[in-house]
Amino acid sequence: MFDELGNKLDAALGKFRQRGVLTEPMIKDGLREVRRVLLEADVNFQVTRDFLKRVQERALGEDVLKAVQPGQQIVKIVHDELASLMGDGRVTISWTSSPPTVVMVAGLQGAGKTTSVAKLAHRWEREGRKPMLAACDLQRPAAVEQLQTLGEQIGVPVHAGEFGGDPVATAKAALAAAREQGRNVLLVDTAGRLQIDAPLMDELGRIKSELDPQEILLVADAMTGQEAVKIAEGFDEALDLTGVVLTKMDGDARGGAALSIRGVTGKPIKFVGVGEGVDALEEADPQRLASRILQMGDVVGLVERAQQAIDVDEQEELQRKMLGGGSFTLGDFLTAMRQVQKMGPLDQLLKMIPGGKKLRIPTQSMDPKRMKHVEAIILSMTPQERADPKIINGSRRARIAKGSGRPVAEVNRLLKQFKEMQGFMSAE
Ligand SMILES: Nc1nc2c(ncn2[C@@H]2O[C@H](COP(=O)(O)OP(=O)(O)OP(=O)(O)O)[C@@H](O)[C@H]2O)c(=O)[nH]1
Ligand SMILES: [Mg+2]
């Protein structure tokens, strides 16, 4: 997310950081560099200009020049202003007091609407709500099926229309079904087009007037850069959006969309999509996004991921064992490893740790393929062997190697590493 923009801004701001004393021309010079970086990242021209004006005013006005660490202070100003470009803090969903809360999505073809409604439903279901999905894209063959498959995967019911049928009638029927079945959130998936056109807007407008949704979220692809802003303006004019879901932020989006959408349309980014899986959705938090752009890490995001991925009971049990309250077995090791894996790819996690990108952790040691090998080796052991690896003699090693399809040397290495780990724990 924002790798290139982050690196370049880091370089531009690095000049400030290095200097003990800053003069006004130095500040102006440095900010020109920031401007170039933002424009290169496809941030809207007007947004960039206003942004720099604010940064410069503050930098020259707040006695930065007399500060002990003027460079750090400028970095902080840039951080704060970046955050306020994207919003004034977290904006949440407005839940209605007379359920179901209706959340409708709109957007161009392939933006990620269907995936995003499934992700949202999954998130809310885990928060204890009772979502229902409405399949109102009746124009693309297989669209209904796609949503049904996702619904099954996350265990959320889907109310679907017939291919070629009337999406407005389907939306209406879905709302009635949600009421009847006591579902308190209705998420409405809609059809997309290659570009904004009148029939699409008309259809969306009619669904809107039928359902009177609490939320109308534009799903926009971050990879489209500044173009996303134009799209947002078009949809906003027709539908009066309540917010935006910015998808594909895991790709190499340059940042233009994320930094310009709110500035131009005034509509907040509420969620960001960071992958194809149903878990790959985060609440957008301007402060945190700004920290990530400036590579200051995202500790809150990290904790949130851990909370979502980790089973609390499992975790407590592991902790007890690690602290010496029980014997930590290879089976526990496998559980711990799986928990870390569930949090996401290690290179993504490292970026969320302040300075993590600069840590030279050999990510190949957590390479999913290698993890799979370790898993295969442990699964080829008997429960007895997992509990007490000391009994694993030469012939057992050969059997485990054969069973897992890995060389004996690798089995040996794992056993050795595990023994060292156990040593650490008992030393605590
Ligand atoms: N990497 C990544 N891929 C995503 C994300 N969101 C959606 N996708 C992928 O983008 C493609 C299109 O997603 P859909 O949800 O089908 O898009 P849509 O807007 O419903 O498309 P139409 O129904 O054809 O208009 C799929 O391959 C998704 O897996 C994301 O946040 N990250
Ligand atoms: Mg779709």
Side-chain angles (χ1 to χ4, degrees):
M1 197 193 285
F2 302 131
D3 278 354
E4 213 184 309
L5 171 63
N7 288 336
K8 287 186 176 163
L9 272 181
D10 198 48
L13 294 171
K15 289 186 189 143
F16 287 132
R17 285 202 190 96
Q18 282 159 14
R19 298 227 163 90
V21 186
L22 284 179
T23 62
E24 196 169 319
M26 277 178 184
I27 292 181
K28 286 191 173 156
D29 216 40
L31 291 181
R32 254 196 297 279
E33 180 74 13
V34 172
R35 173 173 179 275
R36 198 178 55 75
V37 172
L38 291 177
L39 290 176
E40 255 174 31
D42 202 23
V43 179
N44 175 278
F45 179 75
Q46 185 83 36
V47 169
T48 304
R49 201 174 59 187
D50 294 349
F51 170 79
L52 283 166
K53 202 166 142 237
R54 281 195 306 274
V55 172
Q56 183 161 324
E57 264 166 29
R58 283 184 60 185
L60 296 179
E62 285 176 12
D63 284 340
V64 166
L65 301 180
K66 286 186 228 132
V68 186
Q69 287 186 304
Q72 290 298 351
Q73 203 153 333
I74 291 192
V75 174
K76 184 175 181 311
I77 294 174
V78 170
H79 174 272
D80 292 353
E81 291 295 335
L82 269 181
S84 76
L85 255 193
M86 290 180 280
D88 323 301
R90 258 190 218 210
V91 256
T92 43
I93 293 288
S94 35
W95 304 105
T96 169
S97 52
S98 52
T101 297
V102 178
V103 179
M104 165 181 175
V105 293
L108 297 185
Q109 207 168 62
K113 295 178 294 300
T114 307
T115 315
S116 297
V117 285
K119 288 175 179 176
L120 286 169
H122 185 47
R123 160 179 284 257
W124 291 334
E125 144 121 336
R126 290 208 298 199
E127 286 175 8
R129 299 181 199 277
K130 287 194 266 169
M132 178 184 252
L133 290 159
C136 297
D137 176 359
L138 306 179
Q139 92 192 1
R140 184 168 65 81
V144 171
E145 212 184 308
Q146 183 192 0
L147 193 66
Q148 274 166 334
T149 308
L150 285 166
E152 240 162 69
Q153 191 189 336
I154 59 177
V156 168
V158 179
H159 183 95
E162 291 274 322
F163 172 61
D166 176 14
V168 184
T170 303
K172 191 174 166 187
L175 181 59
R179 284 213 177 97
E180 204 173 292
Q181 297 169 34
R183 311 301 300 185
N184 54 20
V185 193
L186 181 68
L187 293 110
V188 185
D189 185 26
T190 61
R193 292 277 157 68
L194 279 174
Q195 63 210 31
I196 297 177
D197 62 16
L200 169 68
M201 288 303 174
D202 181 58
E203 179 180 308
L204 293 171
R206 281 183 296 133
I207 296 178
K208 176 184 171 179
S209 33
E210 191 62 59
L211 297 183
D212 192 18
Q214 275 67 39
E215 294 280 347
I216 304 176
L217 301 175
L218 173 74
V219 178
D221 181 339
M223 306 286 282
T224 53
Q226 229 190 110
E227 185 62 23
V229 177
K230 281 202 206 98
I231 298 164
E233 279 182 313
F235 276 93
D236 194 30
E237 230 163 76
L239 297 168
D240 190 15
L241 304 170
T242 61
V244 178
V245 180
L246 207 54
T247 62
K248 309 186 196 179
M249 292 275 273
D250 49 313
D252 48 5
R254 283 186 291 163
L259 290 172
S260 315
I261 278 191
R262 175 153 175 296
V264 177
T265 65
K267 299 299 156 101
I269 299 169
K270 293 196 171 177
F271 295 94
V272 293
V274 292
E276 298 195 29
V278 288
D279 284 318
L281 182 83
E282 295 176 4
E283 249 177 65
D285 179 334
Q287 292 287 340
R288 282 170 43 194
L289 284 174
S291 299
R292 273 200 212 174
I293 293 175
L294 294 181
Q295 307 188 339
M296 296 159 92
D298 179 7
V299 176
V300 183
L302 197 62
V303 172
E304 218 169 59
R305 275 203 193 192
Q307 279 169 342
Q308 278 182 14
I310 287 172
D311 179 310
V312 179
D313 292 341
E314 254 180 19
Q315 185 57 27
E316 276 173 4
E317 178 68 13
L318 280 177
Q319 222 164 40
R320 195 178 62 78
K321 289 183 166 177
M322 286 189 198
L323 294 175
S327 54
F328 188 79
T329 68
L330 273 160
D332 299 323
F333 177 66
L334 188 61
T335 310
M337 199 176 73
R338 283 178 174 157
Q339 288 196 342
V340 174
Q341 270 178 306
K342 269 197 283 181
M343 286 173 63
L346 187 67
D347 54 341
Q348 258 188 35
L349 297 180
L350 276 179
K351 283 183 203 155
M352 299 171 92
I353 302 172
K357 252 193 96 170
K358 295 186 185 107
L359 288 176
R360 290 190 205 287
I361 294 186
T363 38
Q364 74 274 15
S365 67
M366 297 276 273
D367 176 341
K369 223 164 62 207
R370 273 182 66 173
M371 303 266 252
K372 276 266 163 295
H373 294 164
V374 171
E375 201 169 331
I377 293 172
I378 298 179
L379 289 175
S380 300
M381 297 174 185
T382 64
Q384 210 190 350
E385 286 166 348
R386 266 177 242 160
D388 186 13
K390 280 196 300 295
I391 64 169
I392 306 181
N393 56 19
S395 66
R396 284 180 191 252
R397 283 171 201 237
R399 193 208 73 238
I400 292 166
K402 201 159 168 235
S404 60
R406 304 306 308 161
V408 178
E410 215 173 291
V411 177
N412 289 340
R413 187 158 8 119
L414 174 67
L415 289 172
K416 186 164 162 263
Q417 280 171 348
F418 181 69
K419 206 171 145 205
E420 278 167 12
M421 218 171 108
Q422 270 186 324
F424 280 131
M425 284 179 209
S426 51
E428 283 281 327

XYZ file of all heavy atoms in Angstrom, residues 192-271:
589
model
N -22.649 -3.142 -12.377
C -21.698 -2.100 -12.767
C -21.702 -1.897 -14.265
O -22.261 -2.688 -15.017
N -21.115 -0.829 -14.699
C -20.965 -0.549 -16.135
C -19.527 -0.140 -16.387
O -18.819 0.241 -15.467
C -21.860 0.625 -16.559
C -23.318 0.363 -16.502
C -23.862 -0.357 -17.732
N -25.101 -1.048 -17.427
C -26.249 -0.453 -17.138
N -26.337 0.831 -17.132
N -27.317 -1.155 -16.863
N -19.163 -0.144 -17.642
C -17.810 0.276 -17.978
C -17.610 1.762 -17.737
O -16.547 2.229 -17.450
C -17.492 -0.061 -19.430
C -17.087 -1.521 -19.612
C -16.916 -1.849 -21.080
C -15.804 -1.829 -18.844
N -18.690 2.506 -17.895
C -18.605 3.924 -17.560
C -19.947 4.384 -17.023
O -20.938 3.676 -17.123
C -18.191 4.740 -18.772
C -19.216 4.657 -19.870
C -18.566 4.793 -21.233
O -17.425 4.398 -21.404
N -19.282 5.354 -22.172
N -19.919 5.566 -16.446
C -21.158 6.090 -15.887
C -22.128 6.357 -17.032
O -21.792 7.041 -17.984
C -20.882 7.399 -15.133
C -19.944 7.114 -13.963
C -22.164 8.046 -14.678
C -19.538 8.333 -13.180
N -23.304 5.789 -16.976
C -24.278 6.106 -18.014
C -25.677 6.267 -17.415
O -25.933 5.873 -16.276
C -24.260 5.076 -19.145
C -24.625 3.685 -18.670
O -25.185 3.563 -17.560
O -24.363 2.727 -19.400
N -26.556 6.865 -18.192
C -27.872 7.229 -17.671
C -28.700 6.022 -17.209
O -29.270 6.062 -16.117
C -28.622 8.057 -18.707
N -28.770 4.932 -18.016
C -29.596 3.815 -17.555
C -29.111 3.235 -16.214
O -29.912 2.883 -15.347
C -29.456 2.778 -18.677
C -29.009 3.537 -19.869
C -28.257 4.720 -19.378
N -27.775 3.169 -16.040
C -27.248 2.643 -14.780
C -27.658 3.538 -13.615
O -28.150 3.074 -12.586
C -25.715 2.563 -14.843
C -25.007 2.284 -13.504
C -25.309 0.872 -13.002
C -23.507 2.478 -13.614
N -27.483 4.843 -13.789
C -27.823 5.766 -12.715
C -29.314 5.727 -12.415
O -29.739 5.822 -11.270
C -27.422 7.194 -13.096
C -25.940 7.404 -13.078
S -25.255 6.985 -11.447
C -23.528 7.166 -11.810
N -30.087 5.552 -13.461
C -31.525 5.495 -13.286
C -31.908 4.267 -12.461
O -32.691 4.342 -11.520
C -32.178 5.451 -14.679
C -33.674 5.410 -14.573
O -34.227 6.352 -13.954
O -34.297 4.439 -15.062
N -31.302 3.140 -12.806
C -31.597 1.901 -12.069
C -31.201 2.062 -10.598
O -31.972 1.735 -9.691
C -30.814 0.753 -12.717
C -31.020 -0.579 -12.028
C -30.213 -1.688 -12.716
O -30.323 -1.837 -13.958
O -29.479 -2.398 -12.013
N -30.000 2.611 -10.362
C -29.530 2.790 -8.992
C -30.443 3.761 -8.238
O -30.764 3.556 -7.065
C -28.090 3.299 -8.986
C -27.046 2.307 -9.522
C -25.696 2.996 -9.686
C -26.923 1.101 -8.594
N -30.863 4.806 -8.951
C -31.748 5.791 -8.348
C -33.071 5.169 -7.915
O -33.603 5.479 -6.842
N -33.565 4.247 -8.743
C -34.839 3.623 -8.384
C -34.676 2.665 -7.206
O -35.535 2.584 -6.335
C -35.445 2.913 -9.598
C -36.136 3.947 -10.530
C -36.819 3.286 -11.694
N -35.865 2.624 -12.569
C -36.008 1.390 -13.047
N -37.079 0.688 -12.748
N -35.091 0.878 -13.832
N -33.542 1.952 -7.170
C -33.290 1.084 -6.002
C -33.203 1.949 -4.749
O -33.763 1.638 -3.712
C -31.991 0.257 -6.180
C -32.137 -0.704 -7.357
C -31.665 -0.511 -4.906
C -30.901 -1.539 -7.657
N -32.526 3.078 -4.900
C -32.388 3.986 -3.763
C -33.750 4.462 -3.262
O -34.039 4.420 -2.063
C -31.521 5.199 -4.140
C -31.418 6.206 -3.033
C -30.654 7.453 -3.416
C -30.825 8.471 -2.280
N -30.112 9.713 -2.515
N -34.611 4.887 -4.175
C -35.889 5.407 -3.669
C -36.765 4.296 -3.113
O -37.569 4.528 -2.208
C -36.630 6.262 -4.701
O -36.409 5.815 -5.988
N -36.586 3.090 -3.606
C -37.374 1.970 -3.070
C -36.923 1.599 -1.655
O -37.736 1.308 -0.788
C -37.216 0.760 -4.016
C -38.159 -0.384 -3.751
C -39.615 0.025 -3.927
O -40.018 0.461 -5.025
O -40.345 -0.098 -2.925
N -35.604 1.610 -1.425
C -35.079 1.096 -0.154
C -34.768 2.174 0.875
O -34.640 1.885 2.053
C -33.798 0.287 -0.400
C -33.918 -0.970 -1.254
C -32.573 -1.672 -1.311
C -34.971 -1.924 -0.680
N -34.587 3.392 0.412
C -34.180 4.481 1.281
C -33.003 4.067 2.194
O -33.131 4.052 3.418
C -35.388 4.933 2.129
C -35.087 6.247 2.825
O -34.144 6.940 2.407
O -35.782 6.563 3.814
N -31.863 3.740 1.587
C -30.749 3.182 2.361
C -30.120 4.190 3.330
O -30.112 5.390 3.036
C -29.707 2.817 1.284
C -30.331 3.078 -0.032
C -31.527 3.950 0.170
N -29.605 3.681 4.436
C -28.867 4.535 5.374
C -27.501 4.871 4.778
O -26.953 5.921 5.029
C -28.645 3.798 6.709
C -29.793 3.894 7.683
C -31.004 3.162 7.164
O -30.885 2.091 6.576
N -32.173 3.733 7.385
N -26.956 3.907 4.034
C -25.628 4.113 3.470
C -25.635 3.806 1.976
O -26.140 2.750 1.561
C -24.607 3.168 4.134
C -24.375 3.446 5.610
C -23.419 4.617 5.855
O -22.735 5.061 4.908
O -23.371 5.079 7.013
N -25.081 4.715 1.198
C -24.828 4.432 -0.217
C -23.333 4.591 -0.419
O -22.786 5.696 -0.376
C -25.596 5.393 -1.137
C -27.088 5.326 -0.801
C -25.363 5.025 -2.603
C -27.930 6.310 -1.588
N -22.666 3.465 -0.546
C -21.217 3.485 -0.619
C -20.755 3.303 -2.055
O -21.168 2.361 -2.735
C -20.635 2.356 0.249
C -20.989 2.396 1.738
C -20.457 1.149 2.443
C -20.424 3.658 2.388
N -19.892 4.194 -2.473
C -19.281 4.016 -3.781
C -18.093 3.071 -3.610
O -17.264 3.258 -2.733
C -18.773 5.352 -4.318
C -17.962 5.206 -5.611
C -18.875 4.905 -6.788
C -17.140 6.445 -5.882
N -18.050 2.037 -4.441
C -16.890 1.157 -4.431
C -15.991 1.589 -5.586
O -16.409 1.554 -6.748
C -17.309 -0.317 -4.582
C -16.080 -1.216 -4.618
C -18.236 -0.717 -3.432
N -14.791 2.045 -5.247
C -13.889 2.554 -6.285
C -12.542 1.856 -6.190
O -12.056 1.544 -5.106
C -13.706 4.064 -6.131
N -11.974 1.622 -7.348
C -10.700 0.926 -7.454
C -9.545 1.924 -7.283
O -9.409 2.855 -8.073
C -10.668 0.295 -8.860
C -9.419 -0.481 -9.142
O -8.399 -0.245 -8.472
O -9.460 -1.320 -10.060
N -8.746 1.728 -6.246
C -7.662 2.675 -5.951
C -6.651 2.762 -7.085
O -5.973 3.773 -7.253
C -6.943 2.279 -4.668
N -6.575 1.676 -7.871
C -5.593 1.650 -8.952
C -5.935 2.642 -10.067
O -5.092 2.950 -10.900
C -5.499 0.247 -9.555
C -5.235 -0.831 -8.550
S -3.544 -0.793 -7.979
C -2.769 -1.556 -9.376
N -7.177 3.095 -10.103
C -7.541 4.034 -11.155
C -7.050 5.453 -10.845
O -7.246 6.357 -11.652
C -9.065 4.078 -11.392
O -9.700 4.316 -10.140
C -9.589 2.803 -11.991
N -6.443 5.642 -9.699
C -5.846 6.939 -9.381
C -6.869 8.063 -9.365
O -8.000 7.891 -8.917
N -6.440 9.189 -9.878
C -7.280 10.377 -9.859
C -8.595 10.214 -10.605
O -9.572 10.886 -10.321
C -6.493 11.485 -10.539
C -6.466 12.738 -9.769
C -5.891 13.833 -10.627
O -6.596 14.721 -11.030
N -4.611 13.774 -10.906
N -8.591 9.302 -11.561
C -9.797 9.012 -12.323
C -10.942 8.640 -11.360
O -12.106 8.974 -11.592
C -9.494 7.848 -13.283
C -10.598 7.476 -14.234
C -10.980 8.602 -15.189
O -10.133 9.496 -15.424
O -12.124 8.591 -15.670
N -10.574 7.985 -10.260
C -11.576 7.585 -9.269
C -12.338 8.792 -8.738
O -13.501 8.689 -8.349
C -10.908 6.833 -8.116
N -11.677 9.939 -8.722
C -12.332 11.140 -8.219
C -13.471 11.558 -9.146
O -14.567 11.895 -8.701
C -11.315 12.293 -8.078
C -12.000 13.558 -7.624
C -10.216 11.905 -7.112
N -13.217 11.498 -10.438
C -14.263 11.852 -11.414
C -15.441 10.899 -11.274
O -16.598 11.308 -11.306
C -13.708 11.747 -12.837
C -12.869 12.919 -13.227
C -12.818 13.037 -14.771
C -11.538 13.741 -15.183
N -10.460 12.834 -15.584
N -15.107 9.619 -11.136
C -16.157 8.620 -10.986
C -16.977 8.926 -9.731
O -18.202 8.926 -9.742
C -15.532 7.209 -10.901
C -14.786 6.897 -12.198
C -16.597 6.154 -10.612
C -13.819 5.736 -12.103
N -16.265 9.239 -8.655
C -16.953 9.543 -7.398
C -17.868 10.750 -7.563
O -19.005 10.746 -7.076
C -15.933 9.784 -6.282
N -17.394 11.757 -8.257
C -18.227 12.945 -8.453
C -19.501 12.601 -9.217
O -20.585 13.049 -8.866
C -17.448 14.026 -9.217
C -16.519 14.814 -8.325
C -15.780 15.921 -9.091
O -15.252 15.612 -10.175
O -15.746 17.055 -8.593
N -19.351 11.772 -10.250
C -20.514 11.378 -11.045
C -21.545 10.620 -10.217
O -22.738 10.931 -10.257
N -21.087 9.666 -9.470
C -22.018 8.880 -8.656
C -22.620 9.736 -7.544
O -23.787 9.588 -7.197
C -21.305 7.664 -8.055
C -21.247 6.484 -8.982
C -20.163 6.277 -9.818
C -22.297 5.568 -9.032
C -20.108 5.196 -10.686
C -22.256 4.476 -9.895
C -21.152 4.289 -10.725
N -21.806 10.624 -7.003
C -22.284 11.461 -5.901
C -23.409 12.383 -6.374
O -24.411 12.568 -5.679
C -21.117 12.271 -5.338
C -21.469 12.896 -4.005
O -22.284 12.298 -3.271
O -20.937 13.971 -3.695
N -23.235 12.930 -7.550
C -24.252 13.807 -8.095
C -25.586 13.081 -8.230
O -26.638 13.598 -7.902
C -23.817 14.253 -9.486
C -23.882 15.743 -9.714
C -23.049 16.092 -10.929
O -23.534 15.830 -12.053
O -21.909 16.569 -10.730
N -25.513 11.842 -8.715
C -26.744 11.102 -8.975
C -27.342 10.499 -7.703
O -28.555 10.375 -7.582
C -26.469 10.002 -9.991
N -26.511 10.092 -6.764
C -27.026 9.295 -5.658
C -26.845 9.917 -4.273
O -27.398 9.428 -3.296
C -26.343 7.917 -5.649
C -26.595 7.031 -6.875
C -25.641 5.851 -6.859
C -28.044 6.546 -6.890
N -26.049 10.973 -4.193
C -25.680 11.550 -2.910
C -25.095 10.474 -1.982
O -25.742 9.995 -1.053
C -26.894 12.234 -2.253
C -26.456 13.046 -1.040
O -25.244 13.312 -0.898
O -27.330 13.403 -0.225
N -23.862 10.137 -2.273
C -23.174 9.065 -1.543
C -23.005 9.397 -0.064
O -22.965 10.571 0.308
C -21.772 8.864 -2.137
C -21.692 8.558 -3.632
C -20.237 8.630 -4.095
C -22.266 7.164 -3.896
N -22.876 8.350 0.747
C -22.546 8.578 2.157
C -21.091 8.246 2.442
O -20.585 8.524 3.516
C -23.429 7.723 3.092
O -23.194 6.335 2.783
C -24.902 8.046 2.912
N -20.428 7.605 1.481
C -19.026 7.264 1.720
C -18.475 6.421 0.592
O -19.154 6.132 -0.388
N -17.215 6.056 0.768
C -16.500 5.347 -0.285
C -15.791 4.118 0.294
O -15.301 4.156 1.417
C -15.440 6.282 -0.923
C -14.646 5.569 -2.003
C -16.096 7.540 -1.487
N -15.798 3.029 -0.479
C -14.947 1.886 -0.166
C -13.873 1.879 -1.241
O -14.178 1.790 -2.426
C -15.726 0.550 -0.242
C -14.805 -0.628 0.092
C -16.937 0.572 0.674
N -12.628 2.045 -0.830
C -11.535 2.086 -1.794
C -10.880 0.705 -1.852
O -10.305 0.255 -0.863
C -10.529 3.149 -1.360
C -9.691 3.790 -2.451
C -10.555 4.367 -3.563
C -8.824 4.882 -1.845
N -11.018 0.047 -2.991
C -10.521 -1.330 -3.072
C -9.128 -1.396 -3.701
O -8.646 -0.421 -4.256
C -11.454 -2.184 -3.954
O -11.451 -1.641 -5.276
C -12.861 -2.201 -3.415
N -8.557 -2.572 -3.593
C -7.268 -2.896 -4.229
C -6.122 -2.021 -3.733
O -5.200 -1.689 -4.467
C -7.392 -2.841 -5.763
C -8.601 -3.684 -6.213
C -8.757 -3.840 -7.681
C -10.180 -4.347 -7.966
N -10.479 -4.524 -9.367
N -6.223 -1.648 -2.477
C -5.139 -0.868 -1.873
C -3.934 -1.752 -1.602
O -2.888 -1.270 -1.204
C -5.626 -0.240 -0.572
C -6.661 0.822 -0.793
S -5.917 2.411 -1.135
C -5.716 2.976 0.543
N -4.112 -3.068 -1.747
C -2.970 -3.973 -1.571
C -2.072 -3.928 -2.805
O -0.919 -4.313 -2.754
C -3.462 -5.400 -1.319
C -4.508 -5.828 -2.349
O -5.436 -5.035 -2.607
O -4.388 -6.938 -2.884
N -2.599 -3.467 -3.906
C -1.810 -3.422 -5.139
C -0.864 -2.233 -5.115
O -0.666 -1.616 -4.077
N -0.325 -1.883 -6.270
C 0.610 -0.758 -6.232
C -0.075 0.547 -6.620
O 0.421 1.311 -7.443
C 1.864 -1.024 -7.068
C 1.511 -1.566 -8.450
O 0.302 -1.626 -8.739
O 2.422 -1.914 -9.220
N -1.225 0.791 -5.990
C -1.927 2.052 -6.196
C -1.000 3.187 -5.795
O -0.291 3.088 -4.807
C -3.192 2.085 -5.343
N -1.030 4.259 -6.576
C -0.071 5.321 -6.312
C -0.510 6.274 -5.217
O 0.263 7.078 -4.741
C 0.201 6.088 -7.607
C 1.139 5.308 -8.520
C 1.526 6.117 -9.719
N 0.380 6.305 -10.604
C 0.330 7.225 -11.551
N 1.343 8.051 -11.715
N -0.724 7.335 -12.330
N -1.751 6.194 -4.831
C -2.201 7.039 -3.719
C -3.105 8.169 -4.145
O -3.756 8.783 -3.324
N -3.127 8.447 -5.454
C -3.925 9.562 -5.952
C -5.376 9.516 -5.522
O -5.937 10.511 -5.064
N -5.975 8.332 -5.649
C -7.397 8.198 -5.306
C -7.608 8.415 -3.816
O -8.474 9.188 -3.404
C -7.919 6.822 -5.712
N -6.793 7.753 -3.023
C -6.979 7.825 -1.571
C -6.845 9.264 -1.081
O -7.593 9.713 -0.213
C -5.964 6.928 -0.872
N -5.879 9.984 -1.654
C -5.617 11.329 -1.149
C -6.518 12.387 -1.759
O -6.608 13.492 -1.249
C -4.156 11.689 -1.387
C -3.177 10.911 -0.510
C -1.749 11.175 -0.935
C -3.359 11.283 0.950
N -7.191 12.068 -2.858
C -7.979 13.116 -3.512
C -9.480 13.000 -3.316
O -10.188 14.001 -3.379
C -7.703 13.123 -5.026
O -6.344 13.013 -5.304
N -9.976 11.779 -3.102
C -11.433 11.589 -3.119
C -12.159 12.482 -2.131
O -13.097 13.191 -2.475
C -11.809 10.103 -2.899
C -11.686 9.377 -4.226
C -13.215 9.961 -2.338
C -12.256 8.000 -4.256
N -11.689 12.498 -0.897
C -12.421 13.291 0.070
C -12.243 14.784 -0.187
O -13.179 15.567 -0.070
C -12.011 12.955 1.490
C -12.704 13.869 2.466
C -12.872 13.258 3.790
N -13.433 14.211 4.735
C -12.851 15.329 5.132
N -11.688 15.675 4.606
N -13.426 16.097 6.023
N -11.017 15.148 -0.564
C -10.751 16.554 -0.835
C -11.663 17.111 -1.908
O -12.149 18.230 -1.800
N -11.938 16.335 -2.925
C -12.737 16.833 -4.043
C -14.234 16.654 -3.814
O -15.021 17.554 -4.072
C -12.316 16.159 -5.371
C -13.201 16.624 -6.518
C -10.860 16.476 -5.675
N -14.630 15.478 -3.314
C -16.072 15.221 -3.196
C -16.622 15.520 -1.804
O -17.827 15.627 -1.622
C -16.400 13.735 -3.478
O -15.796 12.942 -2.452
C -15.871 13.292 -4.830
N -15.741 15.587 -0.817
C -16.209 15.771 0.552
C -16.753 14.493 1.161
O -17.204 14.474 2.306
N -16.708 13.379 0.413
C -17.239 12.123 0.940
C -16.101 11.293 1.534
O -15.050 11.127 0.900
C -17.941 11.323 -0.164
C -19.121 12.065 -0.753
C -20.184 12.349 0.315
C -21.074 13.531 -0.017
N -22.364 13.210 -0.537
N -16.293 10.808 2.737
C -15.203 10.107 3.408
C -14.983 8.694 2.885
O -15.920 8.026 2.461
C -15.673 10.047 4.866
C -17.156 10.055 4.772
C -17.498 10.884 3.565
N -13.726 8.272 2.928
C -13.418 6.869 2.665
C -13.737 6.129 3.954
O -13.196 6.448 5.010
C -11.929 6.696 2.316
C -11.607 7.486 1.051
C -11.585 5.232 2.131
C -10.127 7.593 0.771
N -14.647 5.161 3.880
C -15.036 4.468 5.118
C -14.319 3.140 5.297
O -14.057 2.717 6.414
C -16.545 4.262 5.148
C -17.301 5.589 5.267
C -18.742 5.414 5.689
C -19.352 6.784 6.008
N -20.762 6.719 6.369
N -14.047 2.483 4.179
C -13.340 1.198 4.264
C -12.322 1.103 3.144
O -12.490 1.720 2.093
C -14.324 0.023 4.137
C -15.307 -0.058 5.263
C -16.556 0.543 5.151
C -14.992 -0.724 6.437
C -17.471 0.493 6.192
C -15.895 -0.782 7.489
C -17.140 -0.176 7.360
